Amino acid sequence: MALPAQKARYTFADCLTWDERERIEIIDGEAFMMAAPSRIHQEICFEIGRQLGNYLEGKPCKVYPAPFGVRLFEQDGDRPEDVDTMVEPDLSVVCDRSKLDKYGCKGAPDMVIEVLSPSTQRHDQLVKLNLYQQAGVQEYWIVDPENRTVRVLLQTGDGTFRIHEVYGQEDVAKVNVLEGCFVELSKVFSE
């Protein structure tokens, strides 16, 4: 399906009318089609999601893989027509169940993970980083399959991200928002 008819400004109300098989994000009212992810991208997402899911079993926090709509700036009382930013992180960890509804997440997840692709590198490292920072995401992982690294950014007291750690493929990465949770990167970057 092609991008829906051009409009000056898209909202979440438009998203609700689109074919749900299409991956389209809206950022400040502008629509962005998302390419299908590669096999390696999907394997990395699956493995990180599997490890997080295993850790979270029986706990209040949940991990959600894409496609999972996150309306970063939606407030209580907002109508779909009022919401002009909705993204689909590769993985989202949400601990506040009140943020969840039948469409996804309303507000900032506790943790977001993006796996870089050639077509999304700039978008994930600049545009989305700034959005996640503004929205108050506490922990943002940027996973680089080519270099087999994970950059962990944490929210500081002044509302900005700072690089907390850079892990390599043989490291065990600490998940800072989940006490006692670690991800074995040798399993993530196994190929």
Side-chain angles (χ1 to χ4, degrees), residues 53-68:
N54 287 346
Y55 173 81
L56 292 172
E57 188 173 340
K59 295 180 175 71
C61 300
K62 300 288 181 208
V63 61
Y64 297 93
F68 179 72

Side-chain angles (χ1 to χ4, degrees), residues 5 7 14 50 56-57 62 67 70 92 98 104-105 110 118 125-126 132 148 157 173 177 191:
K7 290 176 66 172
D14 295 307
R50 184 191 68 75
L56 292 172
E57 188 173 340
K62 300 288 181 208
V70 175
S92 302
S98 71
C105 182
D110 296 83
Q125 295 182 89
L126 295 173
Y132 297 148
R148 296 175 175 250
V177 297
E191 191 168 299

Side-chain angles (χ1 to χ4, degrees), residues 98-129:
S98 71
K99 290 183 177 184
L100 300 172
D101 63 17
K102 67 181 182 178
Y103 302 113
C105 182
K106 176 178 66 176
D110 296 83
M111 178 183 187
V112 168
I113 299 169
E114 295 284 6
V115 178
L116 299 179
S117 299
S119 64
T120 66
Q121 265 191 358
R122 184 181 182 285
H123 192 67
D124 290 342
Q125 295 182 89
L126 295 173
V127 176
K128 283 186 154 181
L129 183 145

